[in-house]
Structures are given as structure tokens and as C-alpha cells.
Amino acid sequence: QVQLVESGGGSVQAGGSLRLSCAASAYGVSNYYMGWFRQAPGKEREGVAVIYMGGRGTYYGNSVKGRFTISRDSAKNTLYLQMNNLQPEDTAMYYCAAGPGGSYGVMDPRLYRYWGQGTQVTVSS
């Protein structure tokens, strides 16, 4: 129903920056939570940043506060993640997700119904 297409991943050195984008199908996410999650090999999927598309509330994982910024362009149904001062620990597959809300917290992957294909972020030292 809701299609999510991610872009912007790549390989950078520690201290570098990347900007991820997630384009959602039109009229599907105006009252949804949308967020970025990441999963590294051998680790559980982790909430990175979430924004409510119908407002301005934002939520960040503790490990990225002060370094990453989530934003959206509601007119284009597009989500962004500006990642600054990247560190090797940020290396993971990054996924865009969308969901209407429910019984789980906004940083809980179980809240989200739709997922993008993922984009790889690799940070070297």
C-alpha cells in the first residue's frame, strides 16, 4: 500500500556526513509516524530517529543525539536523515519505515507496517 524508496547510503570515513532520503507514495503517510532504523550484522534492529508526519515531534536514539537530524518535506512525502560526524559504530543497513501508530513505542520496529529496501551505510576509521 505504502511504498518507500530509500537513497543516499554509501561509504565514508569517520567524521564524515551522509544524507539519506526516503520517498513515500503520495497521500499515504500524512498522519503516519516515519522513521529510520538500522541493523548491523549480529545485532537487533535499532531505532535511529522518528518523526510524526502530521506534526513536529521528533525522537532520537541515544547513540545519535546531537549528530543526526530527521526532517521531512510533507509536500513531497519525503523523509530525510542528515548524519554528521559518522563513526564506525554507525555502520549498518539503514531502513526507512512508516506506520499509523499503535500499542508500541515510536522507536519500536513493531510499530511500523511498511519498510523500505534498506540502504547500506559504511563508516571506516
Side-chain angles (χ1 to χ4, degrees), residues 25-39:
S25 56
Y27 304 106
V29 296
S30 61
N31 62 345
Y32 274 34
Y33 291 92
M34 291 189 67
W36 295 95
F37 296 78
R38 66 188 184 187
Q39 189 165 22

Side-chain angles (χ1 to χ4, degrees), residues 11-87:
S11 298
V12 298
Q13 293 185 335
S17 298
L18 286 171
R19 182 176 173 87
L20 306 184
S21 298
C22 173
S25 56
Y27 304 106
V29 296
S30 61
N31 62 345
Y32 274 34
Y33 291 92
M34 291 189 67
W36 295 95
F37 296 78
R38 66 188 184 187
Q39 189 165 22
K43 299 181 67 176
E44 295 294 314
R45 189 164 298 186
E46 174 189 19
V48 176
V50 168
I51 192 167
Y52 180 57
M53 299 297 284
R56 295 185 179 273
T58 58
Y59 312 84
Y60 293 94
N62 289 333
S63 64
V64 307
K65 288 180 179 177
R67 299 188 297 121
F68 292 9
T69 303
I70 190 170
S71 61
R72 85 276 196 258
D73 184 339
S74 295
K76 296 183 177 181
N77 292 319
T78 300
L79 184 72
Y80 303 97
L81 184 68
Q82 179 66 46
M83 303 186 293
N84 296 328
N85 192 24
L86 284 160
Q87 301 297 313

